[in-house]
Amino acid sequence: MEDKIVVITGANSGIGKAAATKFANEGYTVVMACRNLERSKSAQQEIIDATKNPHIDLLQLDISSFQSIRQFSTVLKDKYPKLDILIHNAAYLNHGEKNYLLSQDGIELSFATNTVGPFLLTRQVVSMLEKSEDARVLHACTTNIRHFFEPKRTIEFDNLQGEFKNERPFKTYKFYGDTKMALLLMTFKMADELKKQRISVNAVQIPAIKLSKETINKFQSGWRFAARIQNAFSAPRETMADTYFHICTSEEFKNVTGKLINDKRKVMEPSHYSKGLTQDIKQLMDQNVYPKYADDPENIEKVWDLCVSLTSNPVSRV
Ligand SMILES: NC(=O)c1ccc[n+]([C@@H]2O[C@H](COP(=O)([O-])OP(=O)(O)OC[C@H]3O[C@@H](n4cnc5c(N)ncnc54)[C@H](OP(=O)(O)O)[C@@H]3O)[C@@H](O)[C@H]2O)c1
């Protein structure tokens, strides 16, 4: 399997590290795409020691930065002849953050990290994915998107570059949900765009999974306690790592593209619930459906056009 190459973003901690370990155990060549090489070297060594797989590479990638994505893609193309699996696992969510943070490219940081970065990275490495017999791209989505009850909740499209940072208070969890919903909408369109090249693109809906100590320590103080409580009821990271692996390697998902898949490995469908509190609650509880909002072609096109226009300046054009 060592000739099968998988790139996992944010592979130095949490689910990403567990997934890197899983693929390493199965004999894959794993490229850990991480923003801080110093912090990530120990994770790389741990994985090599635990799995006895020496083919664990570590490359620098800040997925919120266009420049870093371009550099990473160049290095990847120089080192490897093709790419089989690309897992967009890295994400930004800083519970309790009250300020709008903008990426180097002037995009609200969670939108840059969780949506626009994955969009640009996939487009940068399409030529490598095309060389795989069975190329699969996976986006890490979240149950948070289930809060998109129509018609109340929409993505804050007019504020994704912090246009209203002086007027609207920053709500980190709300922004996180917006950017993961945008990621799902982008998944659908990316899957259509890459069908001709036989590259599959899916998203996985992740429920509460145990957070690492490092991640909890990044949260603002009041939130750390809540996160520790939630951790007690959360599933182990390895269960989600196994699910990433299954979606990206199994025969079952070989010809599946443009879908949201839940943690029970079932392909989800757009919600059939109508408006109203009871219907909203049913939608929230139903693990097999996602909000109608994600099934609206207008929303899909809006996200796509925004990703294209933000990444289409002369320097980052792909
Ligand atoms: N755990 C859950 O309950 C849960 C629930 C729903 C969805 N998810 C999703 O699952 C995925 C993994 O989450 P996790 O719980 O494993 O969190 P985590 O341990 O905090 O992992 C996040 C990873 O993303 C990396 N990252 C953040 N910003 C980055 C950037 N700009 N460039 C490159 N890497 C960056 C982090 O690197 P650093 O170490 O350098 O910060 C870290 O390795 C995320 O997409 C998350 O949204 C998780």
Side-chain angles (χ1 to χ4, degrees):
M1 274 296 174
E2 98 193 27
D3 62 330
K4 282 262 190 188
I5 301 155
V6 54
V7 167
I8 305 174
T9 65
N12 58 298
S13 80
I15 302 168
K17 183 176 167 191
T21 307
K22 171 72 183 170
F23 278 94
N25 261 325
E26 300 291 337
Y28 282 69
T29 291
V30 180
V31 180
M32 302 169 65
C34 304
R35 64 175 154 180
N36 183 319
L37 291 188
E38 271 322 298
R39 240 194 346 252
S40 306
K41 269 182 193 150
S42 55
Q44 178 193 23
Q45 196 54 53
E46 262 180 62
I47 296 171
I48 293 171
D49 292 345
T51 63
K52 309 286 178 252
N53 180 343
H55 305 287
I56 311 302
D57 199 357
L58 171 62
L59 297 182
Q60 210 275 332
L61 171 69
D62 177 348
I63 192 73
S64 73
S65 151
F66 295 169
Q67 193 195 6
S68 176
I69 293 169
R70 286 196 299 273
Q71 270 168 5
F72 170 84
S73 309
T74 305
V75 175
L76 194 73
K77 283 174 193 166
D78 281 351
K79 287 188 90 168
Y80 297 98
K82 56 147 188 173
L83 177 59
D84 298 289
I85 299 166
L86 171 57
I87 302 182
H88 290 289
N89 166 78
Y92 174 72
L93 166 65
N94 187 359
H95 277 301
E97 176 63 61
K98 297 251 185 320
N99 299 310
Y100 282 85
L101 302 178
L102 298 186
S103 73
Q104 288 172 21
D105 306 288
I107 301 164
E108 190 283 319
L109 191 57
S110 39
F111 187 50
T113 310
N114 304 348
T115 315
V116 187
F119 168 86
L120 181 59
L121 177 54
T122 299
R123 298 214 349 171
Q124 289 282 355
V125 298
V126 161
S127 59
M128 293 185 79
L129 289 162
E130 278 175 329
K131 290 184 189 133
S132 170
E133 302 267 287
D134 179 14
R136 306 193 198 187
V137 177
L138 184 64
H139 292 143
C141 205
T142 166
T143 45
N144 177 309
I145 63 149
R146 308 168 73 76
H147 298 249
F148 272 74
F149 305 120
E150 293 205 55
K152 288 162 274 186
R153 173 84 183 263
T154 59
I155 294 176
E156 222 173 302
F157 278 106
D158 60 350
N159 197 19
L160 292 173
Q161 292 166 81
E163 292 92 330
F164 287 93
K165 60 176 182 247
N166 297 323
E167 286 105 86
R168 297 183 196 161
F170 182 72
K171 294 182 186 149
T172 183
Y173 199 54
K174 154 86 171 51
F175 253 91
Y176 172 74
D178 278 12
T179 64
K180 289 289 189 176
M181 173 55 87
L183 178 70
L184 177 60
L185 294 161
M186 192 267 277
T187 305
F188 295 146
K189 176 86 180 186
M190 185 72 88
D192 275 351
E193 294 278 313
L194 297 183
K195 241 178 207 155
K196 279 196 283 311
Q197 285 104 312
R198 293 182 301 105
I199 299 168
S200 76
V201 186
N202 291 299
V204 56
Q205 179 186 263
I206 304 178
I209 299 289
K210 280 193 200 310
L211 295 167
S212 65
K213 274 193 210 122
E214 297 78 31
T215 295
I216 292 180
N217 286 338
K218 281 185 223 153
F219 295 166
Q220 308 296 310
S221 58
W223 287 92
R224 285 183 212 147
F225 179 69
R228 284 189 193 108
I229 301 282
Q230 182 179 312
N231 250 4
F233 302 97
S234 301
R237 295 182 272 273
E238 289 69 23
T239 58
M240 193 42 62
D242 288 353
T243 299
Y244 281 10
F245 185 81
H246 186 76
I247 294 171
C248 292
T249 65
S250 67
E251 279 297 313
E252 183 186 356
F253 286 103
K254 192 173 161 86
N255 296 312
V256 174
T257 190
K259 299 292 179 191
L260 177 64
I261 299 155
N262 70 19
D263 60 310
K264 306 286 180 281
R265 305 175 184 182
K266 292 272 171 288
V267 171
M268 298 171 70
E269 299 295 335
S271 171
H272 45 82
Y273 298 108
S274 51
K275 292 170 197 157
L277 184 61
T278 328
Q279 296 286 305
D280 287 352
I281 292 168
K282 283 187 182 163
Q283 176 181 299
L284 196 61
M285 306 304 288
D286 190 337
Q287 296 303 315
N288 295 313
V289 301
Y290 56 81
K292 284 191 190 113
Y293 186 88
D295 198 37
D296 183 335
E298 208 177 297
N299 296 331
I300 294 174
E301 290 304 321
K302 253 187 185 171
V303 167
W304 188 260
D305 291 349
L306 193 53
C307 288
V308 170
S309 79
L310 287 171
T311 54
S312 291
N313 64 60
V315 200
S316 65
R317 194 183 293 277
V318 289

